[in-house]
């Protein structure tokens, strides 16, 4: 059934409950066709069955989640819905505060750190009726992973548990793809929402810088940090963003832009859209695996067939974007971690220790030079987006590598095109572009103008509908 | 960056303990920054300001 512009489509409950979309589950609960307790139990059963293989959780809060589902059920029965996510489970990356639970950042350094209040984004999800299932694995402090020398094991990829799920929001990506929960919060400083979305074949959005409050989220790099929704469908992603976006006067980076109704234009299709294809990222800057390149061409041609006007766009090189991102990230992260690295370096895993100490060897001149170059890069992308409505480019240059091969992890870590949009703050969405010959997700990224997330959802939804990527689930369980 | 300079910079940054216990990690961290700063093309126009610009008042 199609809905007109601005209307929300009504979905039918079909298939196993653990693969219901957020939208379908919420609508069914609101219509009293689905019990929040039944839905939560289905997810807890799935978690019990699969999480021992996937390690998506650092802390499962099953008892509280089930109790909250009971309350949600009573409220729904009485006709009192808290909001558009009433009774729907959500997982939270463990660098984001949830009152009463640990925020460990997957590190021994903060093993005993318990949050006293919810982060703003968590509070907004709860006000909309979502139920927190637990805290999710991350790369240590959102930078050092996947690591086997930490108090908790790294998350694994549900498409093949021998492979990396991407990071740093690794538990979020793994759990959403595997059906442990239908939505999760991730954070993205150099691509950490979009990398696991790419590796696990789900939808991950890094919103415009400042659109989602960072208050209550442990910082990695103040001017690069973003909080973003991770879901299995584009519509769910837009719904989640509608819930968590909005100005926060107590977050100094918060933008004064209103949050929008991001689903309103989602079904308008690709006809007439001007799409700028940034081919040099994956053709010459960092040549992608042939299957990745072919998948990107397929996405571009599909959109063209649907009526999009496809154009080539040139931006600064990926190598330079990456350098600017790393200088800023490592300088700002050093300012956060210097005291602990001086006093207790042995409490960090090896990867985080190496990456975080790098900031000690950068000077103020490096940091200011990178931020001056950043101004030019922002102007370059704004100029490109004056010519087109949306950019299309690679996300990852390779499918997910094996998790037990540190050399492959190191090699592929920087082979990506996500950092440019942390540097410039433009919204960027990564999603599945297809499957590799070995059955691993391939990915594509769409990038929009500041605060024009609605355009990203429109083009992403057009690709999703044409390709059916939202119907593909990992062959696990 | 040779090891002597790395040691000096590490001590200046207060990383004596890390240097004693995780010397390889300190050296690896220093090597990362050497390669990354070489890839940066700093603006040639001296009027290009850093982002974000100073803004009076609260928020953006």
């Amino acid at each position: 059934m199609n809905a007109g512009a601005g209307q929300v489509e009504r979905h039918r409950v079909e298939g196993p409950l653990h693969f219901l979309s957020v939208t379908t589950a919420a609508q069914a609960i609101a219509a009293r066709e689905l019990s929040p307790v039944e839905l939560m139990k289905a997810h807890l059963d799935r978690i019990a069955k699969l999480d021992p293989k996937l390690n998506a959780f650092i802390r499962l809060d099953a008892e509280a989640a089930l109790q909250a589902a009971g309350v949600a059920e009573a409220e729904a029965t009485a006709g009192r819905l808290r909001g558009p996510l009433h009774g729907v489970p959500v997982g939270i990356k463990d660098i984001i505060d949830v009152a009463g639970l640990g925020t460990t950042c997957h590190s021994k350094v903060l093993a005993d750190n318990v949050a006293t209040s919810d982060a703003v984004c968590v509070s907004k999800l709860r006000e909309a009726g979502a139920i927190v299932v637990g805290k999710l694995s991350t790369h240590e402090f959102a930078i050092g992973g996947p690591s086997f020398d930490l108090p908790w094991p790294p998350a694994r990829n549900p498409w093949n548990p021998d492979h990396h799920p991407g990071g740093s929001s690794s538990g979020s990506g793994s759990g959403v793809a595997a059906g442990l929960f239908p939505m999760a919060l991730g954070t993205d400083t150099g691509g950490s929402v979009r990398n696991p979305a790419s590796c696990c074949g789900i939808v991950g959005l890094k919103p415009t810088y400042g659109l989602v409050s960072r208050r209550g989220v442990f910082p990695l790099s103040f001017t690069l940090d973003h909080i973003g929704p991770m879901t299995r469908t584009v519509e769910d992603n837009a719904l989640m963003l509608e819930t968590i976006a909005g100005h926060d006067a107590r977050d100094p980076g918060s933008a004064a832009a209103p949050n929008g109704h991001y689903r309103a234009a989602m079904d308008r299709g690709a006809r007439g859209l001007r799409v700028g294809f940034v081919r040099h990222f994956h053709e010459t800057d960092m040549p992608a695996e042939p299957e990745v390149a072919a998948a990107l061409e397929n996405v571009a041609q599909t959109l063209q067939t649907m009526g999009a006007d496809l154009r080539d766009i040139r931006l600064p090189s990926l190598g330079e974007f990456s350098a600017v991102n790393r200088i800023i990230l490592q300088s700002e992260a050093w300012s956060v971690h210097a005291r602990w690295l001086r006093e207790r370096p042995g409490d960090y895993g090896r990867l985080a220790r190496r990456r975080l100490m790098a900031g000690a060897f950068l000077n103020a001149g490096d940091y200011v030079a990178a931020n001056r170059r950043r101004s030019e890069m922002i102007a370059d992308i704004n100029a490109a987006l004056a010519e087109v409505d949306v950019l299309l480019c690679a996300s990852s240059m390779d499918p997910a590598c094996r998790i037990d091969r540190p050399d492959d992890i190191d090699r592929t870590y920087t082979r990506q095109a996500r950092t440019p949009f942390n540097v410039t703050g433009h919204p960027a969405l990564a999603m599945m572009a297809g499957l590799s010959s070995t059955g691993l997700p391939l990915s594509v990224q769409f990038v929009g103008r500041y605060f024009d997330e609605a355009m990203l959802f429109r083009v992403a939804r057009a690709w999703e509908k044409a390709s059916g990527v939202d119907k593909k689930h990992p062959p696990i369980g | 960056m040779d090891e002597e300079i790395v040691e000096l910079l590490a001590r200046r940054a207060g990383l004596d303990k890390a240097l004693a216990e995780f010397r390889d990690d300190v050296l690896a961290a220093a090597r990362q920054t050497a390669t990354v700063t070489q890839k940066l093309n700093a603006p040639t126009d001296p009027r290009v300001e850093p982002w974000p610009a100073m803004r009076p008042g609260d928020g953006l």
Side-chain angles (χ1 to χ4, degrees):
Chain A
M1 173 166 54
N2 287 320
Q7 292 180 305
V8 176
E9 189 178 336
R10 183 85 169 83
H11 299 257
R12 287 194 320 162
V13 175
E14 294 176 323
L17 293 184
H18 58 256
F19 278 138
L20 280 190
S21 72
V22 174
T23 310
T24 307
Q27 287 179 349
I29 289 169
R32 294 185 224 174
E33 293 164 1
L34 175 64
S35 145
V37 172
E38 191 187 350
L39 181 68
M40 185 61 74
K41 280 184 176 169
H43 283 95
L44 291 174
D45 287 348
R46 184 85 171 161
I47 291 165
K49 185 176 177 187
L50 295 183
D51 201 50
K53 290 179 205 163
L54 298 177
N55 309 321
F57 282 90
I58 282 186
R59 163 76 190 267
L60 174 65
D61 202 19
E63 198 177 323
L66 208 47
Q67 194 177 16
V71 172
E73 182 154 320
E75 290 171 341
T77 305
R80 291 196 310 270
L81 297 175
R82 294 187 189 200
L85 300 175
H86 192 92
V88 182
V90 61
I92 309 292
K93 181 179 183 177
D94 198 27
I95 73 166
I96 302 172
D97 284 349
V98 174
L101 298 183
T103 302
T104 70
C105 299
H106 210 129
S107 178
K108 189 179 174 187
V109 174
L110 291 179
D112 300 321
N113 175 49
V114 176
T116 54
S117 57
D118 285 341
V120 172
C121 48
V122 172
S123 175
K124 288 188 173 197
L125 286 169
R126 289 215 229 236
E127 283 165 16
I131 298 173
V132 173
V133 199
K135 302 300 291 292
L136 306 174
S137 303
T138 165
H139 292 174
E140 187 177 19
F141 284 110
I143 192 170
S147 299
F148 291 88
D149 56 353
L150 301 175
W152 301 272
R156 289 172 178 267
N157 194 320
W159 291 86
N160 183 337
D162 291 330
H163 285 246
H164 184 28
S168 63
S169 309
S170 37
S172 308
S174 174
V176 168
L180 308 190
F181 32 82
M183 60 178 167
L185 282 177
T187 64
D188 193 315
T189 304
S192 288
V193 160
R194 292 162 288 154
N195 183 12
S198 301
C199 290
C200 296
I202 62 167
V203 182
L205 172 76
K206 182 203 78 64
T208 305
Y209 183 81
L211 184 61
V212 177
S213 171
R214 301 163 303 158
R215 187 152 54 94
V217 180
F218 196 88
L220 174 58
S221 175
F222 306 104
T223 69
L224 296 166
D225 287 345
H226 302 67
I227 292 93
M230 300 172 73
T231 57
R232 286 189 296 269
T233 74
V234 173
E235 182 176 26
D236 287 356
N237 209 279
L239 173 58
M240 211 176 158
L241 183 65
E242 285 172 13
T243 306
I244 62 175
H247 180 60
D248 174 12
R250 292 173 63 195
D251 172 354
S254 182
N259 55 332
H261 182 39
Y262 299 108
R263 290 170 292 169
M266 200 176 56
D267 283 312
R268 287 188 187 159
R271 179 162 303 284
L273 284 187
R274 296 168 303 166
V275 177
F277 195 1
V278 194
R279 281 195 169 90
H280 67 90
F281 278 179
H282 71 275
E283 287 185 348
T284 53
D285 294 358
M286 288 181 191
E289 283 289 310
E291 284 187 311
V292 173
L296 290 168
E297 287 296 334
N298 182 41
V299 175
Q301 284 169 18
T302 302
L303 292 174
Q304 197 169 28
T305 305
M306 296 170 78
D309 171 9
L310 196 67
R311 306 172 186 191
D312 278 344
I313 289 284
R314 279 207 74 83
L315 296 173
S317 76
L318 274 183
E320 206 189 349
F321 273 119
S322 172
V324 169
N325 179 269
R326 287 179 68 184
I327 290 168
I328 295 168
L329 192 161
Q330 288 172 332
S331 301
E332 295 182 0
W334 167 250
S335 75
V336 173
H337 288 272
R339 183 168 60 88
W340 291 331
L341 286 166
R342 288 174 185 135
E343 294 172 359
R344 45 195 295 206
D347 285 351
Y348 288 85
R350 182 169 162 270
L351 278 176
R353 190 166 50 237
R354 286 185 172 205
R355 288 175 185 161
L356 291 168
M357 283 196 304
F361 301 95
L362 293 163
N363 62 42
D366 297 327
Y367 181 68
V368 175
N371 273 309
R372 293 178 67 220
R373 185 71 184 105
R374 182 185 212 176
S375 291
E376 294 179 327
M377 288 170 155
I378 288 170
D380 288 337
I381 295 193
N382 281 340
L385 285 166
E387 288 178 34
V388 295
D389 300 303
V390 66
L391 301 175
L392 183 165
C393 63
S395 174
S396 294
M397 302 304 172
D398 312 273
C401 66
R402 285 186 63 98
I403 198 168
D404 56 355
R405 292 192 185 152
D407 289 348
D408 283 352
I409 298 280
D410 279 352
R411 183 180 61 80
T412 56
Y413 183 72
T414 54
R415 283 177 45 76
Q416 48 106 337
R418 294 177 284 269
T419 54
F421 313 109
N422 294 89
V423 169
T424 67
H426 289 86
L429 181 150
M431 65 188 295
M432 191 195 279
L435 288 172
S436 73
S437 55
T438 55
L440 290 166
L442 306 168
S443 55
V444 60
Q445 182 173 220
F446 300 110
V447 182
R449 299 177 187 129
Y450 291 132
F451 305 108
D452 196 9
E453 278 79 1
M455 178 61 75
L456 291 188
F457 292 128
R458 179 178 166 187
V459 70
R461 172 80 151 181
W463 163 245
E464 180 182 70
K465 276 191 161 178
S467 63
V469 289
D470 56 324
K471 308 290 188 301
K472 296 183 196 298
H473 301 305
I476 187 170
Chain B
M1 216 185 304
D2 66 35
E3 287 197 24
E4 203 173 320
I5 294 173
V6 172
E7 270 192 38
L8 276 170
L9 291 171
R11 291 192 195 289
R12 182 177 173 274
L15 291 173
D16 304 69
K17 192 170 181 183
L19 206 50
E21 295 174 13
F22 306 102
R23 185 180 177 81
D24 285 352
D25 293 344
V26 175
L27 297 175
R31 273 197 301 272
Q32 284 176 54
T33 58
T35 54
V36 84
T37 51
Q38 285 165 10
K39 289 180 187 164
L40 176 69
N41 294 318
T44 51
D45 180 349
R47 292 165 300 186
V48 174
E49 291 216 13
W51 187 96
M54 171 65 185
R55 288 175 198 272
D58 295 328
L60 298 175

